[in-house]
Amino acid sequence: EESLARFAEIQRREADEALFAGCESQLLDHGAPVEQVMVMFHGYRNCPRQMQELGQIFYEHGYNVIIPRAPHMGLADPLAPEQAELTADELSYFSTEAVDIAQGLGDRVTVLGISMGGIVTGWQAQSRDDVDLAVLIAPAFGVEVVPALLTTPAVRLFSLLPNQYIWQDNELKTEVPNPPQVYPRNATRPISAFLRYGFAVRNGSRRTAPEAAALLVTTNDADHVVSNETTAVIIERWQGQGFNAIETYHFAADLQLDHDLLSPDHPHEQVEKVYPVLEKLIDEAP
């Protein structure tokens, strides 16, 4: 009852915002606590609509599923300036609240996230012992356009300078091929915020093993957005802490998957190659 009440409060807060259809926080609930619960964190510039179809699959497997909307994402105006207000503290609060809510919806909690959501999932795995499985999909611990050695200075610079908007494609601008709910512009302040959040995971992996019971990390070898090398370093650190309950999977480069390999309405979607793999990996995870 407390979990449902807390989710209802999220819905009440969102009622004051003009959101793109399907971008509101979502709860797929069987009406009672069940054995398995899944929390699904979407990526930067996206919204819960990205996870809706995959969430439905796990709901049909018997899971209760919660898909929370990250702060300032999913607004109806694709050029919404509010995305620049995103902070690392907001990401911490929103993700912790969602996993707290999940505890009342069933016995075992799986947390899954892509890109920025993968960072959020990584932090929940690093810091919470009530997460049974954490699934990180193409986590954005580093970005390809910024060399690893320059990531920290770049994040500090982005956080100090006034926010700048950068078109995903300078020529196509608002016509860039994306799912309809995705913002066509990046913003330097929120990128700084989620990379800072990623630093917390990276620094934590130097000192301690994850608190979660098990991890599954999937990367995309055709990904030109995030740094798979940075993710590999974090995995090695976790393993160096004696944490062995971690599985990895690489989607092959010849599949030519987009960084957003989960959105069924992406112009370049290939979810028929992705969803069955994730289902099998999660079903067989320790």
Side-chain angles (χ1 to χ4, degrees), residues 151-250:
T151 300
T152 300
V155 168
R156 289 174 177 166
L157 188 63
F158 287 166
S159 65
L160 292 172
L161 293 176
N163 180 71
Q164 298 291 319
Y165 290 103
I166 304 168
W167 292 106
Q168 180 180 330
D169 188 304
N170 280 324
E171 294 183 1
L172 296 176
K173 296 187 178 179
T174 59
E175 302 303 314
V176 64
N178 275 331
Q181 74 275 8
V182 173
Y183 299 157
R185 299 187 300 179
N186 294 289
T188 54
R189 279 294 179 90
I191 291 174
S192 171
F194 71 69
L195 287 176
R196 279 185 57 218
Y197 202 35
F199 290 165
V201 182
R202 292 165 65 179
N203 291 336
S205 70
R206 289 189 177 100
R207 299 188 297 269
T208 62
E211 294 287 342
L215 273 76
L216 167 64
V217 184
T218 72
T219 53
N220 170 12
D221 289 343
D223 200 325
H224 299 297
V225 175
V226 301
S227 169
N228 290 340
E229 291 77 12
T230 303
T231 299
V233 168
I234 294 173
I235 292 171
E236 289 175 4
R237 288 175 181 164
W238 279 330
Q239 292 171 329
Q241 299 291 345
F243 186 82
N244 296 317
I246 183 167
E247 300 287 341
T248 60
Y249 183 86
H250 304 273

Side-chain angles (χ1 to χ4, degrees), residues 121-165:
T121 301
W123 174 247
Q124 297 300 318
Q126 184 69 40
S127 61
R128 297 187 67 137
D129 62 5
D130 54 2
V131 171
D132 294 272
L133 175 65
V135 183
L136 286 65
I137 302 172
F141 292 119
V143 291
E144 278 292 312
V145 295
V146 181
L149 291 175
L150 298 179
T151 300
T152 300
V155 168
R156 289 174 177 166
L157 188 63
F158 287 166
S159 65
L160 292 172
L161 293 176
N163 180 71
Q164 298 291 319
Y165 290 103

Side-chain angles (χ1 to χ4, degrees), residues 53-133:
E53 189 167 310
L54 185 61
Q56 183 66 33
I57 290 172
F58 283 98
Y59 174 74
E60 291 170 2
H61 286 189
Y63 285 69
N64 281 335
V65 179
I66 178 171
I67 314 175
R69 182 181 65 94
H72 316 297
M73 301 294 120
L75 298 175
D77 177 6
L79 300 180
E82 288 89 341
Q83 70 150 310
E85 299 172 14
L86 181 68
T87 68
D89 285 344
E90 283 182 315
L91 283 173
S92 179
Y93 179 83
F94 125 90
S95 58
T96 298
E97 181 181 43
V99 180
D100 285 349
I101 290 172
Q103 301 303 321
L105 299 177
D107 298 329
R108 295 206 295 268
V109 175
T110 294
V111 181
L112 177 151
I114 183 172
S115 195
M116 179 183 77
I119 294 176
V120 167
T121 301
W123 174 247
Q124 297 300 318
Q126 184 69 40
S127 61
R128 297 187 67 137
D129 62 5
D130 54 2
V131 171
D132 294 272
L133 175 65

